[in-house]
Amino acid sequence: MQLLQGFLTIFNLETLLLMIGGVFGGLVVGALPGLSAFTALAIMLPFTFGMDAINGLCFLVAVYVGGCSGGLISAILLGIPGTPSSIATCFDGYPMAKSGRAKTALSAGIISSFIGGIFGAVVLAFLGPQIAKVALKLSSYDYFGIILFALTTVSALSGENMIKGLIACFLGICLSMVGTDGLSSVYRYTFGVTKLANGFNLVPVLIGLFAVSQIMSNAKDKANAKALDFSGTNRTSGERFTFVDYFKRIKMIIPVSIMGLLIGVLPGLGGNISNLMAYSYAKKTSKHPDEFGKGCVDGIVASETANNATVGGAIIILLTLGIPGDNATSILLAGFQMNDIAPGPLLFKTQAQLVYAILAAFILANVLFFLMEYFGLSIFTKMLSIPSMLLLPIVIVCCFVGSYCANNNILDILIMVIFGMVGYILKQHKYPMAPMVVGFILAPMLELYLRRSLMKTNGAWLPIMTSPVAAICIIATVVTIAYTAISRVKASKAKAQA
């Protein structure tokens, strides 16, 4: 009943127009390489000055949803994750676009994003406070176990060569150590460069590894005109992916939706991790795991469902506890503070009308982005017919702008170029990029929670296992690694005998 009241609150011309503009603005910014939902919110926040609380916050929620969903467009059409939460969407989306199935890939991503977002919204409306209370009780032991288990995604993302996948992951872990120690505040591996005090920013790293390396690979053979075609194909055939096709995968959809929601609830994790974990789960449980990475629509469905369910989880933790679940929700928190509103356990009692207006806006924003993207498919697929000599310079400019905007730091442009070269070299020697990204994202958090846990136990490891959540995650990690190793050995033996 209160949710219905929330819809009645936002169903006025001013709020609806603001939300339509917010979703569209978020989609445009999110689709540009390097400009994430966080960037979109940072750009749009000043526009809320002078708005009343309901209009301003509903507008920001619309921008957030649009920004998270826009990343799939460049991930599929260009092979560049528009946002970090669209990394796994590249793995199968781009090969599908190259083979002429761009329309299928885009419609699959759009429907998956929509259902994932609606799932997060429904859970947020009915179970948000209860989920947040459980998340608040998790200790550093539990976070260590969860993140350790998340690292097992490397096994599924390593491709056929596990050794190369582990080397790439280890390289990502080493690079993540650059910067200030999270506990002692000591500079590590900065070589006297003070601008590296915060380490390598994720955005220029991603743009370098995925975008710059892709551009270099496509531009390698100048004599071959097709090598310069960034999309890989000018054919835009392929059937639309439908809701019927989506719900045929219900056995995969339910676990990845829950996974995305729970990761969103855990502060500091977010869609960067949930899309990779969901992709890993989908590949491990698939009857045809060999098809992943070559244009399997299940990879897109898992990734986009999870990362949009994560948005609902991040908003749950913000509204109920006042804790930003990720970088983007920290901007939403600033929006609350601008209106002298403090999110937290009492918000549902003191500002119930506002809370349910935001929940209604979250649901409506998912509907709006779906309508804009799904019925605009023909416009997006037209990108594949743009001559590469026109498209390539635009993409390069976006890469430079996205890298600089991440921190307003010229050094990030150099970092982007360096990582582009590293990514190109790794690609030439067939090292997978995904394990490197997983190691880079997860290692700092793994180290932080491990050291906090060891400080509690005076350096003893065994007490960490006294936490049920940590124990289950650590056991699951060992089982997963053992199962993967045995499966790889059996597969290599079968190939040798064949």
Side-chain angles (χ1 to χ4, degrees), residues 166-484:
L166 291 173
I167 292 172
C169 179
F170 181 71
L171 178 59
I173 291 171
C174 291
L175 291 169
S176 73
M177 297 299 168
V178 175
T180 306
D181 185 300
L183 292 179
S184 66
S185 299
V186 173
Y187 287 2
R188 302 187 299 191
Y189 313 118
T190 59
F191 299 99
V193 181
T194 54
K195 287 189 176 181
L196 285 178
N198 293 324
F200 297 118
N201 188 281
L202 180 62
V203 171
V205 169
L206 283 183
I207 293 175
L209 289 175
F210 287 94
V212 176
S213 65
Q214 185 70 51
I215 292 168
M216 291 172 70
S217 297
N218 287 339
K220 181 182 177 183
D221 186 3
K222 292 183 180 179
N224 184 357
K226 288 186 179 180
L228 290 174
D229 187 350
F230 203 81
S231 66
T233 180
N234 286 324
R235 293 184 292 116
T236 57
S237 60
E239 297 298 323
R240 283 182 185 240
F241 190 85
T242 65
F243 283 97
V244 174
D245 297 323
Y246 181 83
F247 286 108
K248 285 179 181 177
R249 295 161 171 80
I250 194 70
K251 288 183 179 179
M252 176 188 72
I253 292 164
I254 292 174
V256 299
S257 299
I258 296 171
M259 188 185 300
L261 183 79
L262 294 178
I263 290 173
V265 171
L266 300 175
L269 302 188
N272 303 1
I273 295 173
S274 66
N275 77 110
L276 291 165
M277 286 191 68
Y279 184 89
S280 171
Y281 172 83
K283 184 175 180 180
K284 286 178 179 177
T285 57
S286 173
K287 293 180 181 179
H288 308 286
D290 294 340
E291 294 178 5
F292 280 72
K294 300 173 183 175
C296 180
V297 74
D298 286 1
I300 299 174
V301 170
S303 169
E304 288 300 321
T305 300
N307 71 36
N308 280 267
T310 299
V311 175
I315 294 180
I316 286 173
I317 202 79
L318 175 67
L319 291 179
T320 56
L321 299 177
I323 301 171
D326 56 14
N327 288 335
T329 46
S330 65
I331 302 291
L332 285 179
L333 180 59
F336 276 97
Q337 291 171 343
M338 281 168 48
N339 290 281
D340 294 323
I341 298 169
L346 296 177
L347 189 65
F348 281 77
K349 292 183 180 179
T350 59
Q351 298 275 0
Q353 183 185 14
L354 174 65
V355 170
Y356 285 99
I358 290 172
L359 297 183
F362 183 41
I363 294 172
L364 180 60
N366 278 282
V367 175
L368 289 173
F369 103 74
F370 171 75
L371 295 174
M372 287 182 191
E373 287 197 17
Y374 196 74
F375 293 104
L377 273 180
S378 57
I379 298 172
F380 298 133
T381 51
K382 288 291 183 185
M383 288 179 65
L384 299 183
S385 61
I386 298 174
S388 57
M389 297 306 291
L390 293 177
L391 183 61
L392 205 59
I394 296 171
V395 173
I396 292 170
V397 170
C398 289
C399 290
F400 275 80
V401 172
S403 295
Y404 177 76
C405 289
N407 256 343
N408 293 328
N409 187 353
I410 292 291
L411 182 63
D412 283 339
I413 293 177
L414 178 60
I415 290 170
M416 174 196 75
V417 174
I418 291 171
F419 273 89
M421 293 178 179
V422 170
Y424 175 75
I425 293 168
L426 291 175
K427 278 185 177 180
Q428 293 302 303
H429 292 86
K430 296 184 179 179
Y431 282 83
M433 293 291 102
M436 182 174 173
V437 174
V438 172
F440 185 84
I441 293 173
L442 293 181
M445 290 183 286
L446 185 71
E447 179 195 14
L448 180 66
Y449 289 116
L450 174 61
R451 289 173 64 184
R452 283 181 180 175
S453 300
L454 293 175
M455 286 168 69
K456 287 182 182 178
T457 63
N458 293 320
W461 289 74
L462 196 58
I464 295 175
M465 296 292 288
T466 58
S467 168
V469 174
I472 291 170
C473 289
I474 292 170
I475 292 169
T477 300
V478 173
V479 170
T480 302
I481 292 171
Y483 174 77
T484 303

Side-chain angles (χ1 to χ4, degrees), residues 140-172:
S140 58
Y141 302 165
D142 302 322
Y143 277 102
F144 167 71
I146 291 167
I147 295 169
L148 183 66
F149 179 67
L151 263 176
T152 61
T153 57
V154 169
S155 61
L157 302 174
S158 294
E160 296 180 359
N161 195 319
M162 189 71 176
I163 301 298
K164 287 187 175 181
L166 291 173
I167 292 172
C169 179
F170 181 71
L171 178 59

Side-chain angles (χ1 to χ4, degrees), residues 74-88:
S74 58
I76 290 170
L77 297 181
L78 304 177
I80 304 169
T83 64
S85 58
S86 297
I87 296 168

